[in-house]
């Protein structure tokens, strides 16, 4: 609750492949779209000052709970890291799994700050649990800032590869359009005739929810974690797929 914000559904836009809200507490317009494995965020600021992007490493992912993590500043505008999730959900038992990430910003990070049961101040790396990391930026009224965040269940290097293969540019509008086109390709596989507009809208909303629930655990180049037993993971390639990088 320390950094949560209210928002109004009156100014919210929720579409397949795109979401926008206005954060009332901060006067920030927050937008998000994505490729298959890379999210793209865009923030428009209505006032100047310090802007912190909160990496809350305590968050639950599906049925899994985090118990260890690491966030490191690499270069002037990038973070990398991982979070170790407790057993649960699709992965079943054993020691759980790690979710790796790369976060790139379109402007330099002023400083990385950390929290681990107390304020750690400026850090280059923060790890353990519970942890919150937040890169800080200097912004002016009207500034627009963007972030790309790539995920992988294999490694940080594979998260970086996913970003290189799926989102090697900074055009938010292009990603939004391509995401919408991809959803249209999926939804148009079922064509409905008859009925009212409300009934059609409900049908396609339900179909969207069904497709939304699917999970992809492989990377863009075909690598995926094969959990051959509850404690051992082997990185393999999908048959017939081996794409550089």
């Amino acid at each position: 609750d320390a950094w949560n914000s209210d928002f109004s559904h009156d100014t919210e836009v929720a579409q397949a492949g795109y979401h926008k809200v206005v954060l009332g507490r901060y006067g920030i317009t927050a937008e998000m779209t994505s490729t298959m494995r890379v999210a793209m965020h865009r923030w428009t600021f209505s006032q100047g000052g310090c802007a912190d992007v909160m990496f809350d490493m305590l968050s639950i992912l599906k049925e899994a709970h985090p118990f260890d993590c690491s966030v490191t500043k690499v270069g002037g505008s990038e973070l990398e890291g991982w979070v170790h999730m407790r057993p649960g959900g699709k992965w079943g038992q054993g020691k759980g799994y790690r979710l790796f990430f790369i976060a790139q910003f379109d402007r330099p990070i002023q400083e990385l700050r950390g929290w681990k049961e107390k304020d750690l101040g400026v850090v280059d790396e923060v790890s353990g649990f519970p942890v919150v990391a937040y890169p800080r930026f200097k912004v002016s009224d009207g500034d627009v800032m963007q972030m790309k965040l790539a995920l992988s269940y294999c490694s940080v290097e594979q998260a970086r590869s996913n970003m290189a293969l799926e989102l090697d540019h900074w055009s938010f509008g292009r990603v939004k359009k391509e995401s919408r086109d991809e959803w249209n390709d999926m939804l148009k596989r079922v064509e409905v005739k008859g009925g009212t507009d409300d009934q059609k809208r409900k049908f396609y909303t339900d179909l969207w929810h069904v497709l939304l629930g699917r999970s992809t655990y492989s990377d863009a180049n075909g690598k995926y974690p094969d959990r051959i037993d509850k404690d051992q993971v082997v990185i393999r390639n999908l048959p017939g797929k081996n794409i550089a990088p």
Side-chain angles (χ1 to χ4, degrees):
D1 293 340
W3 56 79
N4 287 353
S5 174
D6 61 301
F7 71 94
S8 171
H9 290 299
D10 293 338
T11 55
E12 181 184 22
V13 178
Q15 302 170 345
Y18 176 69
H19 194 196
K20 180 177 80 170
V21 295
V22 178
L23 304 178
R25 180 176 178 180
Y26 305 106
I28 297 172
T29 299
E31 301 170 89
M32 183 174 69
T33 185
S34 73
T35 67
M36 180 71 76
R37 301 169 183 83
V38 187
M40 189 167 189
H41 298 253
R42 180 168 69 182
W43 302 287
T44 303
F45 299 90
S46 64
Q47 58 186 15
C50 290
D52 297 336
V53 179
M54 312 303 294
F55 284 71
D56 181 3
M57 310 304 285
L58 288 71
S59 298
I60 297 171
L61 179 64
K62 293 186 176 180
E63 301 89 350
H65 295 253
F67 67 94
D68 194 11
C69 73
S70 175
V71 181
T72 303
K73 182 175 180 286
V74 289
S77 58
E78 184 175 299
L79 302 178
E80 67 178 28
W82 50 265
V83 57
H84 203 161
M85 314 298 288
R86 290 191 182 280
K90 186 176 181 67
W91 293 107
Q93 310 144 28
K95 297 180 179 179
Y97 62 91
R98 289 192 183 191
L99 179 62
F100 302 89
F101 71 89
I102 291 288
Q104 293 180 353
F105 299 87
D106 65 355
R107 66 174 62 196
I109 298 171
Q110 185 179 11
E111 59 189 24
L112 176 64
R113 304 183 68 86
W115 178 91
K116 185 179 178 182
E117 298 187 293
K118 65 178 181 179
D119 183 16
L120 301 178
V122 179
V123 297
D124 291 322
E125 183 267 345
V126 58
S127 60
F129 189 84
V131 159
V132 177
Y134 48 106
R136 176 164 291 177
F137 303 86
K138 185 71 173 178
V139 298
S140 301
D141 180 8
D143 273 4
V144 176
M145 184 171 76
Q146 298 185 125
M147 177 187 75
K148 300 187 293 186
L149 193 147
L151 300 177
S152 171
Y153 287 100
C154 293
S155 66
V156 167
E157 292 74 19
Q158 280 296 113
R160 196 180 303 278
S161 172
N162 286 338
M163 186 175 294
L165 289 169
E166 292 191 358
L167 189 47
D168 62 352
H169 60 85
W170 286 98
S171 175
F172 187 93
R174 174 179 162 187
V175 180
K176 178 184 174 183
K177 180 183 182 304
E178 290 174 350
S179 182
R180 184 178 180 84
D181 290 345
E182 184 174 358
W183 274 109
N184 278 330
D185 288 341
M186 296 295 291
L187 295 173
K188 73 181 182 183
R189 296 180 184 184
V190 179
E191 294 187 5
V192 176
K193 295 181 179 180
T196 66
D197 287 346
D198 284 344
Q199 289 172 326
K200 291 178 181 178
R201 187 177 296 108
K202 184 180 187 307
F203 173 82
Y204 282 108
T205 298
D206 290 343
L207 179 57
W208 175 67
H209 283 141
V210 169
L211 296 171
L212 193 65
R214 302 192 311 169
S215 299
T216 298
Y217 293 98
S218 61
D219 289 327
N221 61 6
K223 294 187 183 298
Y224 70 96
D226 183 359
R227 305 190 68 82
I228 59 176
D229 60 42
K230 66 179 183 178
D231 293 326
Q232 186 178 1
V233 179
V234 175
I235 304 302
R236 304 189 189 277
N237 264 85
L238 291 174
K241 189 169 186 179
N242 189 3
I243 305 172

